[in-house]
Amino acid sequence: MLTTEQWQMHEITLAGTQTGNPFTDVFLKAVFRHDVGYIETDGFYVGGGVYKIRFMPTVPGKWTYRTQSGDPALDGKTGEILCGPATGNNRGPVRVKGKYYFAHADGTRHISIGTTCYAWIYQTGDLIEKTFSELEKYGFNKIRMCVFPKHYDYNLKEPEHFPFIKDADGGFDFTRLDPVFFNKLDRIISRLSDSDIQADLILFHPYDRWGFASMPPDADDRYLRYMAARYSAYKNVWWSFANEYDLMTNMGGASNPCHKDIWDWERFAKIICAHDPYGHLRSIHNCGTFYDHTKPWVTHCSVQGAGTDNADKTRRTYGKPVVYDECEYEGNIQHNWGNISGQEMTKRFWLGAVYGGFVGHGETYLGHDGILWWSHGGKLHGESPERIRFMKKILEEVPEDIELYPQNDAYSIHYFDIHRPSFVNFSKPDGKYTADIIDTWNMTVDRLPETFTGDFTVKLPGREHMAIRLIKL
Amino acid sequence: MLTTEQWQMHEITLAGTQTGNPFTDVFLKAVFRHDVGYIETDGFYVGGGVYKIRFMPTVPGKWTYRTQSGDPALDGKTGEILCGPATGNNRGPVRVKGKYYFAHADGTRHISIGTTCYAWIYQTGDLIEKTFSELEKYGFNKIRMCVFPKHYDYNLKEPEHFPFIKDADGGFDFTRLDPVFFNKLDRIISRLSDSDIQADLILFHPYDRWGFASMPPDADDRYLRYMAARYSAYKNVWWSFANEYDLMTNMGGASNPCHKDIWDWERFAKIICAHDPYGHLRSIHNCGTFYDHTKPWVTHCSVQGAGTDNADKTRRTYGKPVVYDECEYEGNIQHNWGNISGQEMTKRFWLGAVYGGFVGHGETYLGHDGILWWSHGGKLHGESPERIRFMKKILEEVPEDIELYPQNDAYSIHYFDIHRPSFVNFSKPDGKYTADIIDTWNMTVDRLPETFTGDFTVKLPGREHMAIRLIKL
């Protein structure tokens, strides 16, 4: 009988000591072997004397394992895992494909269509349920989410549970992780995985009133090793080292020295690289100044910026895929990063796509009981999500071997954003073409009845947000 | 009895020879003297044995003059000009004011609100009349216009008259200017002057099928000296050395080597500087690459670019006023530079203004018998002109000693472009303020009934194109 399937997390549970502080005192790892190689991974403590080791089989077939630990109760445990092929929507983790694109481990293209709900794991069960259903409804396949709680405008409620347990003084004991919190996070990531949605886990961020942004270095490092041990085996995990790393420089003054330097980020990256045996995607997101995305550990550029038509310049600068994870949000709050229209958001998605990048969504509408998607999840109220879903469908129709940027002769999408040509001239000396008029706002595709060749003109209605798709027959 | 008024062109007519080629053979100049100094200017031939000398008195009072010429009939002529103070809308030529702004010679601020009709002087009288009335209707106070005819899409009709007369071979005799053409140009510039509209004369441009863009250097130079002699005395002349100088590099191939190098432009600038004794404004407009606007002869940056919110960066780069003379045009033609919406155009005007620059308008709508404002003038069909007029009114309300950029505490306009805040927080610890809600699209200004101080919130309707004006009481 099969134990699990390829790329599906398999968990081994072991009983050990609960004396002392198992989070800091107990060493546990396991080596998983297969004819083709081996994988070494750390175990982790979940509380109540229980330890776990999580494993993601990278190839089908028979795997055997053996544990190593300083605790005799955990050491030398062995077992066998029979791994079948992937089934259903399981296409394995996402990797960089070629230079500028993404694909799942099984080779199928991954068109990243992400959104952002920074603090959704801290919300009530109802809200989390609603968020799952909205993600699925609109076809978002990545969600940016913080591990730590968020302190910011519209985010002032005290969470029920935290990644760390409180100490006797009411502060946090950064040596003891809270099993209740992490069990919840497990369920969320697991369910995202089942829905084929990437969990872009933000490991640090500056919007903090509890001290998580300014822990001592040993606590930072232990937290990262724990995250790697606990979550690397989920096929859908992406590591985002920070939201707005460049704001984590002395914000909050001396009393809350949320300060991290480049050597901190580089050390964090080393830890994740060393303890995630599967090499999940890694990025670090900016506010104003881009990180040096040429660093070898950075797999793709996760950037903030309204000019998503700069995707081509950015990807050439760093030689890596570019995701505009924040291009401002559809909404109506006081901050300009959170009050663009649905048309503007949709336009930024299209511009990112036709210039060879990817764009992330977010929504900040007031007037819904203080529930703003960007942070809490919940219901989407904007006009862009269904247009983004429409765009995703159009992009999925592009043959896998075709890249939209730079434009090629066989299959091209000419997107006019706010420009309103009433006609467009083309010169296609070789071959015959079909032409589709795409209205990216009204979500229609009209195939023109004739075929075209040589010098020809395609008429447009003179509205904004139109595109022409030419396909060589 | 007064001869003329300050800054008003005064013309002296002299009879001389018409044998040979007076355009090349006859030297004529005059020195105009006043207690405060003197002005030396070239005369010019107008045909039929008639020569003229034009003079703009820079100060009121008594001016005397004496001519110099190799032709005894023109030499040693003297006279007296009694110049009164300026009257009506005559505020003198426009100069750079401070570092980044413009003012008339009488010190009054000039808020440049320009438009573009490249080839309007080549159109019929009816069309020219209509253009004048549209300029006045919408309050445009500058028009960009080519001296040479234009060959381009929608501009293929052969002009009736040209700056040069044709030779026996049907080509042009670049040594003989056509009086009919220049008389018409005189009337147009004079009438613009009467309407207080600046004539931004484009001296060269690349869109040519007649050879004017590729004349021999001596013809270029003679043409420039003629332009300086004939037009410097008009108070409303601005010199634009080129439209899209950077396209005048080998366009049209070897048979039409429309090629000018930096030394050509610099030589042209020297000629105009030497022969325009009044120092009218001088610029050189780009297509893609900005000219080096730090050159001392460049008085202001006349640039092309859609990103008018870069006005601040551009003006800091060159230390001069910035006019986005082309930020794309409202219209619906096939070229993306000519098919933006009225909202987009209006937005670009406002962004230019609040970032410390000036923006120019243009319009390219098909469907009006092939008459496109951008080139022919005629009637305006777009939605931006009345909004631009509204913006001009708002800018005229700003006290003369206030600059909108960088923002100051006494009087500020907070423009939100496509952003849609439903409220904005301010912190004004000192003084009391009135707040106006400006809808730049619907052209309304609503003064809020209360006054504000300290930390306060101003609500907005959550639409695009809104602004808040705060005025300290």
Side-chain angles (χ1 to χ4, degrees):
Chain A
M1 209 183 92
L2 293 174
T3 321
T4 185
E5 66 179 54
Q6 190 179 12
W7 302 310
Q8 193 65 47
M9 190 267 280
H10 177 70
E11 188 175 275
I12 297 158
T13 305
L14 300 169
T17 182
Q18 43 179 325
T19 59
N21 184 349
F23 290 106
T24 54
D25 302 345
V26 177
F27 155 81
L28 172 65
K29 69 172 198 173
V31 181
F32 295 80
R33 294 181 187 277
H34 186 280
D35 290 346
V36 300
Y38 71 95
I39 288 170
E40 208 174 302
T41 188
D42 294 336
F44 57 96
Y45 183 61
V46 297
V50 178
Y51 296 75
K52 289 188 170 178
I53 297 164
R54 288 179 175 168
F55 169 62
M56 180 179 81
T58 51
V59 291
K62 191 174 84 176
W63 291 82
T64 58
Y65 66 84
R66 168 178 290 270
T67 65
Q68 297 173 31
S69 179
D71 179 351
L74 301 171
D75 186 55
K77 305 288 173 190
T78 59
E80 192 175 289
I81 295 163
L82 283 179
C83 172
T87 63
N89 66 13
N90 174 6
R91 296 170 294 158
V94 175
R95 312 292 192 201
V96 173
K97 176 195 173 193
K99 199 164 180 179
Y100 297 131
Y101 295 91
F102 297 110
H104 288 274
D106 76 349
T108 55
R109 174 178 56 185
H110 178 75
I111 300 169
S112 181
I113 303 283
T115 186
T116 301
C117 302
Y118 286 120
W120 76 303
I121 64 172
Y122 288 94
Q123 311 306 316
T124 62
D126 283 358
L127 214 53
I128 291 175
E129 276 308 310
K130 184 66 192 165
T131 309
F132 274 119
S133 77
E134 293 288 270
L135 290 171
E136 284 168 3
K137 177 177 173 186
Y138 293 110
F140 291 111
N141 59 19
K142 177 167 86 76
I143 181 167
R144 295 177 69 225
M145 48 191 280
C146 297
V147 177
F148 289 123
K150 177 162 182 164
H151 167 73
Y152 191 76
D153 293 352
Y154 313 113
N155 285 271
L156 301 172
K157 221 171 66 182
E158 189 71 0
E160 204 179 339
H161 296 284
F162 293 89
F164 294 97
I165 59 168
K166 294 206 174 175
D167 60 22
D169 305 330
F172 287 95
D173 180 351
F174 294 133
T175 68
R176 290 180 188 269
L177 295 130
D178 186 348
V180 179
F181 172 85
F182 282 98
N183 286 337
K184 185 177 181 183
L185 185 55
D186 288 356
R187 286 192 300 273
I188 286 174
I189 292 177
S190 175
R191 184 144 159 213
L192 289 171
S193 177
D194 293 346
S195 299
D196 197 24
I197 299 169
Q198 307 302 307
D200 201 355
L201 289 179
I202 298 168
L203 296 167
F204 293 99
H205 69 81
Y207 305 107
D208 176 51
R209 68 168 177 263
W210 304 274
F212 303 128
S214 50
M215 300 190 296
D218 63 324
D220 285 342
D221 296 0
R222 205 162 39 236
Y223 155 71
L224 290 172
R225 288 196 305 272
Y226 192 82
M227 289 299 295
R230 190 154 185 150
Y231 294 108
S232 290
Y234 286 96
K235 70 178 191 290
N236 62 323
V237 161
W238 297 25
W239 304 113
S240 176
F241 283 85
N243 185 33
E244 302 185 337
Y245 83 95
D246 48 336
L247 297 189
M248 299 189 79
T249 48
N250 287 328
M251 278 185 73
S255 67
N256 181 19
C258 161
H259 184 81
K260 292 184 176 28
D261 277 304
I262 176 126
W263 45 83
D264 294 306
W265 299 115
E266 291 294 309
R267 188 181 83 247
F268 297 165
K270 276 202 186 76
I271 291 169
I272 291 290
C273 286
H275 294 270
D276 164 11
Y278 311 103
H280 288 287
L281 293 174
R282 293 173 298 263
S283 68
I284 177 164
H285 190 77
N286 64 291
C287 177
T289 306
F290 287 5
Y291 200 82
D292 176 6
H293 298 303
T294 64
K295 294 283 182 198
W297 63 264
V298 175
T299 55
H300 64 285
C301 312
S302 167
V303 300
Q304 179 167 165
T308 56
D309 50 338
N310 289 319
D312 61 330
K313 295 189 191 78
T314 307
R315 75 182 207 175
R316 268 187 285 121
T317 302
Y318 298 105
K320 294 176 185 180
V322 171
V323 187
Y324 278 81
D325 274 310
E326 187 172 341
C327 70
E328 302 187 329
Y329 304 132
E330 181 179 350
N332 62 358
I333 62 169
Q334 74 272 36
H335 306 295
N336 271 359
W337 52 257
N339 57 33
I340 63 170
S341 69
Q343 291 203 333
E344 187 66 28
M345 174 62 87
T346 304
K347 184 188 82 176
R348 294 179 186 187
F349 262 77
W350 275 94
L351 283 173
V354 299
Y355 282 103
F358 303 91
V359 182
H361 161 270
E363 184 181 292
T364 44
Y365 274 111
L366 294 175
H368 303 285
D369 300 324
I371 308 297
L372 289 80
W373 171 267
W374 133 87
S375 208
H376 310 108
K379 186 172 155 37
L380 283 162
H381 304 280
E383 296 183 292
S384 64
E386 56 176 322
R387 275 84 184 185
I388 293 169
R389 181 180 56 195
F390 172 77
M391 185 190 95
K392 187 182 174 201
K393 186 175 150 287
I394 298 287
L395 297 182
E396 285 169 348
E397 289 171 11
V398 180
E400 290 238 354
D401 59 330
I402 294 279
E403 293 175 3
L404 288 181
Y405 185 88
Q407 256 173 9
N408 70 84
D409 204 51
Y411 192 111
S412 56
I413 294 179
H414 308 261
Y415 172 65
F416 301 103
D417 58 78
I418 57 146
H419 292 94
R420 311 174 306 163
S422 50
F423 66 91
V424 181
N425 294 327
F426 293 95
S427 184
K428 296 280 185 190
D430 303 315
K432 285 191 172 177
Y433 288 82
T434 61
D436 298 298
I437 309 298
I438 300 176
D439 184 329
T440 68
W441 183 249
N442 294 305
M443 298 177 283
T444 56
V445 181
D446 292 309
R447 169 75 44 106
L448 297 183
E450 62 271 52
T451 59
F452 299 91
T453 191
D455 292 334
F456 59 90
T457 296
V458 175
K459 285 189 188 163
L460 284 173
R463 288 197 298 273
E464 295 183 333
H465 308 304
M466 301 301 295
I468 296 172
R469 179 172 61 188
L470 296 182
I471 305 174
K472 199 171 192 168
L473 294 171
Chain B
M1 208 184 92
L2 294 174
T3 321
T4 187
E5 67 179 54
Q6 190 181 13
W7 302 311
Q8 194 65 46
M9 191 268 279
H10 177 70
E11 188 174 276
I12 295 159
T13 305
L14 300 168
T17 184
Q18 40 179 327
T19 57
N21 183 350
F23 290 106
T24 54
D25 302 344
V26 178
F27 155 80
L28 171 64
K29 71 171 197 172
V31 181
F32 295 81
R33 294 183 186 278
H34 184 282
D35 290 346
V36 300
Y38 71 95
I39 288 170
E40 209 175 302
T41 187
D42 295 335
F44 57 95
Y45 183 61
V46 298
V50 178
Y51 295 76
K52 289 190 170 177
I53 296 164
R54 286 178 177 168
F55 170 60
M56 180 179 81
T58 50
V59 291
K62 192 174 85 174
W63 291 81
T64 58
Y65 67 85
R66 169 179 290 271
T67 65
Q68 298 173 33
S69 179
D71 180 350
L74 301 171
D75 186 53
K77 304 289 172 192
T78 60
E80 193 175 287
I81 295 164
L82 284 178
C83 173
T87 63
N89 67 12
N90 175 5
R91 297 170 293 159
V94 176
R95 312 290 192 203
V96 172
K97 177 194 174 194
K99 199 164 180 180
Y100 298 129
Y101 295 92
F102 298 110
H104 289 274
D106 76 348
T108 56
R109 174 179 55 185
H110 177 76
I111 300 168
S112 180
I113 302 283
T115 186
T116 300
C117 302
Y118 286 120
W120 76 302
I121 63 171
Y122 289 93
Q123 310 307 317
T124 62
D126 283 358
L127 213 52
I128 290 175
E129 276 308 310
K130 184 67 193 163
T131 309
F132 274 118
S133 77
E134 293 288 270
L135 289 171
E136 285 168 4
K137 176 176 175 187
Y138 293 109
F140 290 111
N141 60 18
K142 179 168 83 76
I143 181 167
R144 295 176 70 224
M145 47 193 279
C146 297
V147 177
F148 290 123
K150 177 163 181 164
H151 167 73
Y152 192 76
D153 293 352
Y154 313 114
N155 286 271
L156 301 173
K157 221 171 67 183
E158 189 71 359
E160 205 179 341
H161 297 285
F162 294 90
F164 294 97
I165 60 168
K166 295 206 173 176
D167 59 23
D169 307 330
F172 288 95
D173 180 348
F174 295 133
T175 69
R176 291 180 188 267
L177 295 129
D178 185 347
V180 179
F181 172 84
F182 282 98
N183 287 337
K184 184 177 183 184
L185 184 55
D186 288 356
R187 287 193 299 275
I188 286 173
I189 292 176
S190 176
R191 182 143 163 215
L192 289 172
S193 178
D194 293 345
S195 298
D196 197 24
I197 299 170
Q198 306 302 308
D200 201 356
L201 289 180
I202 298 169
L203 296 167
F204 293 99
H205 70 81
Y207 304 106
D208 176 53
R209 68 167 177 264
W210 304 275
F212 303 126
S214 50
M215 299 190 297
D218 62 325
D220 286 340
D221 296 359
R222 206 161 39 237
Y223 156 71
L224 290 172
R225 286 197 306 271
Y226 192 82
M227 289 299 296
R230 189 154 187 150
Y231 295 107
S232 290
Y234 287 95
K235 68 179 192 292
N236 62 323
V237 160
W238 297 24
W239 305 114
S240 176
F241 284 84
N243 185 34
E244 302 184 336
Y245 83 95
D246 48 334
L247 297 190
M248 298 188 80
T249 48
N250 287 329
M251 277 185 72
S255 64
N256 180 20
C258 162
H259 183 82
K260 294 187 175 23
D261 277 305
I262 175 124
W263 45 83
D264 295 305
W265 299 114
E266 291 295 309
R267 188 180 83 246
F268 298 164
K270 275 201 187 76
I271 292 169
I272 291 290
C273 287
H275 294 270
D276 164 10
Y278 311 103
H280 288 287
L281 294 174
R282 292 174 299 264
S283 68
I284 178 164
H285 189 77
N286 65 290
C287 176
T289 305
F290 288 5
Y291 200 81
D292 176 6
H293 299 304
T294 64
K295 294 283 182 197
W297 63 265
V298 176
T299 55
H300 64 285
C301 313
S302 168
V303 300
Q304 180 168 166
T308 57
D309 51 337
N310 289 319
D312 61 329
K313 294 188 191 79
T314 306
R315 74 182 207 175
R316 269 187 285 120
T317 302
Y318 298 105
K320 295 177 185 180
V322 171
V323 187
Y324 278 82
D325 274 309
E326 187 173 342
C327 71
E328 302 187 329
Y329 303 132
E330 182 180 349
N332 63 358
I333 61 169
Q334 75 273 36
H335 306 295
N336 272 358
W337 53 256
N339 58 33
I340 64 171
S341 69
Q343 291 203 334
E344 187 66 28
M345 174 61 88
T346 305
K347 184 189 84 177
R348 293 179 187 186
F349 262 77
W350 276 93
L351 283 173
V354 300
Y355 282 102
F358 304 92
V359 182
H361 162 270
E363 184 181 292
T364 43
Y365 274 111
L366 294 176
H368 304 284
D369 299 324
I371 308 297
L372 289 80
W373 171 268
W374 132 86
S375 208
H376 312 107
K379 187 172 154 35
L380 284 162
H381 304 280
E383 297 183 292
S384 64
E386 56 177 321
R387 274 82 186 187
I388 292 168
R389 181 179 59 195
F390 172 78
M391 185 190 94
K392 188 183 174 201
K393 188 176 149 285
I394 297 286
L395 296 182
E396 285 169 349
E397 290 171 11
V398 179
E400 290 238 354
D401 59 329
I402 294 280
E403 292 175 2
L404 289 181
Y405 184 86
Q407 256 173 8
N408 70 84
D409 206 49
Y411 192 111
S412 56
I413 294 179
H414 307 261
Y415 172 65
F416 301 104
D417 59 77
I418 57 144
H419 292 94
R420 310 175 305 163
S422 48
F423 66 93
V424 181
N425 294 326
F426 293 97
S427 183
K428 297 279 185 189
D430 303 316
K432 286 189 171 179
Y433 289 82
T434 61
D436 298 299
I437 309 299
I438 301 175
D439 184 328
T440 68
W441 184 249
N442 294 305
M443 297 177 283
T444 57
V445 181
D446 293 308
R447 170 74 42 105
L448 297 183
E450 62 270 51
T451 58
F452 297 92
T453 191
D455 294 332
F456 59 90
T457 296
V458 176
K459 284 188 186 163
L460 284 173
R463 288 197 298 273
E464 294 183 335
H465 309 304
M466 302 300 297
I468 295 171
R469 181 172 60 187
L470 295 182
I471 304 173
K472 200 172 194 169
L473 293 170

